[in-house]
Amino acid sequence: DAEIDLKKIINSALIVPIELEMGLPADIISTVEFNHTGELLATGDKGGRVVIFQREQESKNQVHRRGEYNVYSTFQSHEPEFDYLKSLEIEEKINKIRWLPQQNAAYFLLSTNDKTVKLWKVSERDKRPEGYNLKDEEGRLRDPATITTLRVPVLRPMDLMVEATPRRVFANAHTYHINSISVNSDYETYMSADDLRINLWNFEITNQSFNIVDIKPANMEELTEVITAAEFHPHHCNTFVYSSSKGTIRLCDMRASALCDRHTKFFEEPEDPSNRSFFSEIISSISDVKFSHSGRYIMTRDYLTVKVWDLNMENRPIETYQVHDYLRSKLCSLYENDCIFDKFECVWNGSDSVIMTGSYNNFFRMFDRNTKRDVTLEASRENSKPRAILKPRKVCVGGKRRKDEISVDSLDFSKKILHTAWHPSENIIAVAATNNLYIFQDKVN
């Protein structure tokens, strides 16, 4: 894993904006995920659709030009439903997508809305059978009395078709809204987490799951925290972490007991009493938790910061990065417009040396863990023409504003980057800005 030169990324990002249909609330992207090779990129949206982009192969006459991502397949993953027992609408919005490693020519991915997880198979077909004995070319059954000869059916070439078929539907296991799914490193099981419970599933069994975490109190009035995110360890199939709305992370070992209500490790940073305010509890809620590829570190995102924790040190994070500290003075208005409850995600690069997360005004932030440099970049249609170099952005807090700076008072809080993804081995990133998907990559000389 070659380490990334962050300055190189800052000074030489190329952009390939991919416009999904604009304008409708259903088009708002709700999750972005590269597969294990980075050849495919999946997005889910509020309308329950999954759009998969495939990286084009390098052409021989343009050796230096790396492949761009084009639409490979689009399918409706979830439909709106109604729970008649509880008189609740179940919206079709895709909350998370997770890929399974490729085992054969087909691809498999998990997608989930608030209640139901589905396993999809995405496969290609470029041949069709012809010459049936009992059916004609339109598929109608023939009269056996008219069949006088026996034919051997043959496969004929046809235009490439990409088919998406649901292979498994995992339903009726969650009372509350699913916020996370995570595939285990044994590739036989996965977990799904909602506000109060985490369930363990086998890919082959849809009518039964094991409840491995249950934090629901006997009396709901005693409820003080909820589960916000959960993820399996990348290498140890018995270990997983989950984060809470109180800003704590629990690491659990499934070898210890069947029900992991007793954690193995408990990560929490003591609060600085001088920073205590009405909003402290809200902004300390963790919106995302991710293991590093090495499995040694955990990264968490709360409202204002990204923190990196060493699995061997529970009492405080080893690194804390300020994402948008200039918003600390704006928490009151962010509370009034509900932005303070936004759930930002965070991602590692392939070698765990750079961290990326989103902010407001279509800004996203990158932090180089080795050099401690950081940068703010903007994903927007106005300043992002294809193959244009991205310029770093700066936010000015009070005082005189320089020409290239933007005032904290003029930030657009309706434009937010909640979902991002980083290619597993290359410097290619995907950034979802409301209903546009932007793909940036290193400049190719």
PDB file of all heavy atoms in Angstrom, residues 24 110 141 159 186 239 330 332 390 393 413 422 434:
ATOM      1  N   LEU A  24     -36.085  15.482  -7.879  1.00  0.00           N
ATOM      2  CA  LEU A  24     -37.102  14.812  -7.087  1.00  0.00           C
ATOM      3  C   LEU A  24     -36.523  14.351  -5.757  1.00  0.00           C
ATOM      4  O   LEU A  24     -35.382  13.899  -5.692  1.00  0.00           O
ATOM      5  CB  LEU A  24     -37.651  13.602  -7.857  1.00  0.00           C
ATOM      6  CG  LEU A  24     -38.324  13.913  -9.195  1.00  0.00           C
ATOM      7  CD1 LEU A  24     -38.603  12.635  -9.941  1.00  0.00           C
ATOM      8  CD2 LEU A  24     -39.603  14.700  -8.967  1.00  0.00           C
ATOM      9  N   LEU A 110     -25.903  -6.698  -0.344  1.00  0.00           N
ATOM     10  CA  LEU A 110     -27.004  -6.556   0.607  1.00  0.00           C
ATOM     11  C   LEU A 110     -27.496  -5.119   0.555  1.00  0.00           C
ATOM     12  O   LEU A 110     -26.693  -4.184   0.539  1.00  0.00           O
ATOM     13  CB  LEU A 110     -26.541  -6.852   2.039  1.00  0.00           C
ATOM     14  CG  LEU A 110     -26.286  -8.292   2.456  1.00  0.00           C
ATOM     15  CD1 LEU A 110     -25.651  -8.312   3.842  1.00  0.00           C
ATOM     16  CD2 LEU A 110     -27.571  -9.102   2.469  1.00  0.00           C
ATOM     17  N   LEU A 141     -46.551 -22.961 -25.681  1.00  0.00           N
ATOM     18  CA  LEU A 141     -46.456 -24.426 -25.753  1.00  0.00           C
ATOM     19  C   LEU A 141     -46.990 -24.929 -27.099  1.00  0.00           C
ATOM     20  O   LEU A 141     -48.019 -24.438 -27.589  1.00  0.00           O
ATOM     21  CB  LEU A 141     -47.244 -25.075 -24.611  1.00  0.00           C
ATOM     22  CG  LEU A 141     -46.618 -24.928 -23.208  1.00  0.00           C
ATOM     23  CD1 LEU A 141     -47.567 -25.462 -22.152  1.00  0.00           C
ATOM     24  CD2 LEU A 141     -45.289 -25.670 -23.136  1.00  0.00           C
ATOM     25  N   ASP A 159     -27.535  -9.308 -27.199  1.00  0.00           N
ATOM     26  CA  ASP A 159     -26.995  -8.110 -26.546  1.00  0.00           C
ATOM     27  C   ASP A 159     -26.856  -8.359 -25.052  1.00  0.00           C
ATOM     28  O   ASP A 159     -27.704  -9.019 -24.438  1.00  0.00           O
ATOM     29  CB  ASP A 159     -27.926  -6.910 -26.777  1.00  0.00           C
ATOM     30  CG  ASP A 159     -27.910  -6.460 -28.235  1.00  0.00           C
ATOM     31  OD1 ASP A 159     -26.928  -6.787 -28.935  1.00  0.00           O
ATOM     32  OD2 ASP A 159     -28.885  -5.815 -28.666  1.00  0.00           O
ATOM     33  N   ASP A 186     -16.285 -14.110   7.911  1.00  0.00           N
ATOM     34  CA  ASP A 186     -16.447 -15.518   7.509  1.00  0.00           C
ATOM     35  C   ASP A 186     -17.304 -15.639   6.243  1.00  0.00           C
ATOM     36  O   ASP A 186     -17.393 -16.716   5.656  1.00  0.00           O
ATOM     37  CB  ASP A 186     -17.060 -16.350   8.647  1.00  0.00           C
ATOM     38  CG  ASP A 186     -18.468 -15.878   9.051  1.00  0.00           C
ATOM     39  OD1 ASP A 186     -19.044 -15.033   8.339  1.00  0.00           O
ATOM     40  OD2 ASP A 186     -18.970 -16.349  10.092  1.00  0.00           O
ATOM     41  N   THR A 239     -15.634 -10.729  16.544  1.00  0.00           N
ATOM     42  CA  THR A 239     -15.557  -9.399  17.158  1.00  0.00           C
ATOM     43  C   THR A 239     -16.347  -8.374  16.363  1.00  0.00           C
ATOM     44  O   THR A 239     -16.295  -8.351  15.132  1.00  0.00           O
ATOM     45  CB  THR A 239     -14.077  -8.944  17.229  1.00  0.00           C
ATOM     46  OG1 THR A 239     -13.296  -9.969  17.859  1.00  0.00           O
ATOM     47  CG2 THR A 239     -13.936  -7.661  18.031  1.00  0.00           C
ATOM     48  N   LYS A 330     -22.734  28.219  16.241  1.00  0.00           N
ATOM     49  CA  LYS A 330     -23.997  28.221  15.502  1.00  0.00           C
ATOM     50  C   LYS A 330     -24.934  27.095  15.953  1.00  0.00           C
ATOM     51  O   LYS A 330     -25.948  26.835  15.300  1.00  0.00           O
ATOM     52  CB  LYS A 330     -23.712  28.035  14.009  1.00  0.00           C
ATOM     53  CG  LYS A 330     -22.903  29.153  13.395  1.00  0.00           C
ATOM     54  CD  LYS A 330     -23.817  30.113  12.690  1.00  0.00           C
ATOM     55  CE  LYS A 330     -23.068  31.275  12.112  1.00  0.00           C
ATOM     56  NZ  LYS A 330     -23.057  32.455  12.931  1.00  0.00           N
ATOM     57  N   CYS A 332     -27.107  26.721  18.189  1.00  0.00           N
ATOM     58  CA  CYS A 332     -28.496  27.073  18.510  1.00  0.00           C
ATOM     59  C   CYS A 332     -29.360  27.088  17.247  1.00  0.00           C
ATOM     60  O   CYS A 332     -30.440  26.481  17.202  1.00  0.00           O
ATOM     61  CB  CYS A 332     -28.535  28.434  19.202  1.00  0.00           C
ATOM     62  SG  CYS A 332     -30.114  28.721  20.010  1.00  0.00           S
ATOM     63  N   LEU A 390      -9.573  20.556  -8.415  1.00  0.00           N
ATOM     64  CA  LEU A 390     -10.305  21.104  -7.270  1.00  0.00           C
ATOM     65  C   LEU A 390      -9.419  22.058  -6.476  1.00  0.00           C
ATOM     66  O   LEU A 390      -8.255  21.753  -6.201  1.00  0.00           O
ATOM     67  CB  LEU A 390     -10.743  19.968  -6.344  1.00  0.00           C
ATOM     68  CG  LEU A 390     -11.941  19.138  -6.787  1.00  0.00           C
ATOM     69  CD1 LEU A 390     -12.311  18.158  -5.681  1.00  0.00           C
ATOM     70  CD2 LEU A 390     -13.128  20.007  -7.118  1.00  0.00           C
ATOM     71  N   ARG A 393     -10.892  24.933  -0.169  1.00  0.00           N
ATOM     72  CA  ARG A 393     -11.769  25.992   0.298  1.00  0.00           C
ATOM     73  C   ARG A 393     -11.455  26.317   1.755  1.00  0.00           C
ATOM     74  O   ARG A 393     -10.993  25.462   2.498  1.00  0.00           O
ATOM     75  CB  ARG A 393     -13.242  25.572   0.193  1.00  0.00           C
ATOM     76  CG  ARG A 393     -13.689  25.151  -1.197  1.00  0.00           C
ATOM     77  CD  ARG A 393     -13.497  26.246  -2.235  1.00  0.00           C
ATOM     78  NE  ARG A 393     -14.142  27.489  -1.845  1.00  0.00           N
ATOM     79  CZ  ARG A 393     -15.348  27.870  -2.214  1.00  0.00           C
ATOM     80  NH1 ARG A 393     -16.069  27.093  -3.005  1.00  0.00           N
ATOM     81  NH2 ARG A 393     -15.854  29.032  -1.838  1.00  0.00           N
ATOM     82  N   PHE A 413     -26.766  25.257   4.636  1.00  0.00           N
ATOM     83  CA  PHE A 413     -26.904  24.039   5.439  1.00  0.00           C
ATOM     84  C   PHE A 413     -27.845  23.020   4.800  1.00  0.00           C
ATOM     85  O   PHE A 413     -27.968  21.909   5.295  1.00  0.00           O
ATOM     86  CB  PHE A 413     -27.376  24.394   6.852  1.00  0.00           C
ATOM     87  CG  PHE A 413     -26.352  25.151   7.636  1.00  0.00           C
ATOM     88  CD1 PHE A 413     -26.499  26.506   7.879  1.00  0.00           C
ATOM     89  CD2 PHE A 413     -25.205  24.514   8.086  1.00  0.00           C
ATOM     90  CE1 PHE A 413     -25.527  27.215   8.585  1.00  0.00           C
ATOM     91  CE2 PHE A 413     -24.236  25.205   8.797  1.00  0.00           C
ATOM     92  CZ  PHE A 413     -24.392  26.562   9.040  1.00  0.00           C
ATOM     93  N   TRP A 422     -14.435   5.526  -0.452  1.00  0.00           N
ATOM     94  CA  TRP A 422     -13.072   5.569  -0.968  1.00  0.00           C
ATOM     95  C   TRP A 422     -12.751   4.224  -1.600  1.00  0.00           C
ATOM     96  O   TRP A 422     -13.011   3.177  -1.019  1.00  0.00           O
ATOM     97  CB  TRP A 422     -12.090   5.864   0.174  1.00  0.00           C
ATOM     98  CG  TRP A 422     -10.762   6.421  -0.299  1.00  0.00           C
ATOM     99  CD1 TRP A 422      -9.932   5.895  -1.233  1.00  0.00           C
ATOM    100  CD2 TRP A 422     -10.127   7.627   0.169  1.00  0.00           C
ATOM    101  NE1 TRP A 422      -8.823   6.679  -1.403  1.00  0.00           N
ATOM    102  CE2 TRP A 422      -8.917   7.757  -0.556  1.00  0.00           C
ATOM    103  CE3 TRP A 422     -10.461   8.594   1.117  1.00  0.00           C
ATOM    104  CZ2 TRP A 422      -8.025   8.804  -0.341  1.00  0.00           C
ATOM    105  CZ3 TRP A 422      -9.573   9.647   1.320  1.00  0.00           C
ATOM    106  CH2 TRP A 422      -8.368   9.750   0.593  1.00  0.00           C
ATOM    107  N   THR A 434     -26.369  15.495  -2.036  1.00  0.00           N
ATOM    108  CA  THR A 434     -27.828  15.460  -2.198  1.00  0.00           C
ATOM    109  C   THR A 434     -28.202  14.486  -3.320  1.00  0.00           C
ATOM    110  O   THR A 434     -28.154  13.289  -3.116  1.00  0.00           O
ATOM    111  CB  THR A 434     -28.415  16.861  -2.438  1.00  0.00           C
ATOM    112  OG1 THR A 434     -27.727  17.790  -1.591  1.00  0.00           O
ATOM    113  CG2 THR A 434     -29.877  16.895  -2.035  1.00  0.00           C
TER     114      THR A 434
END
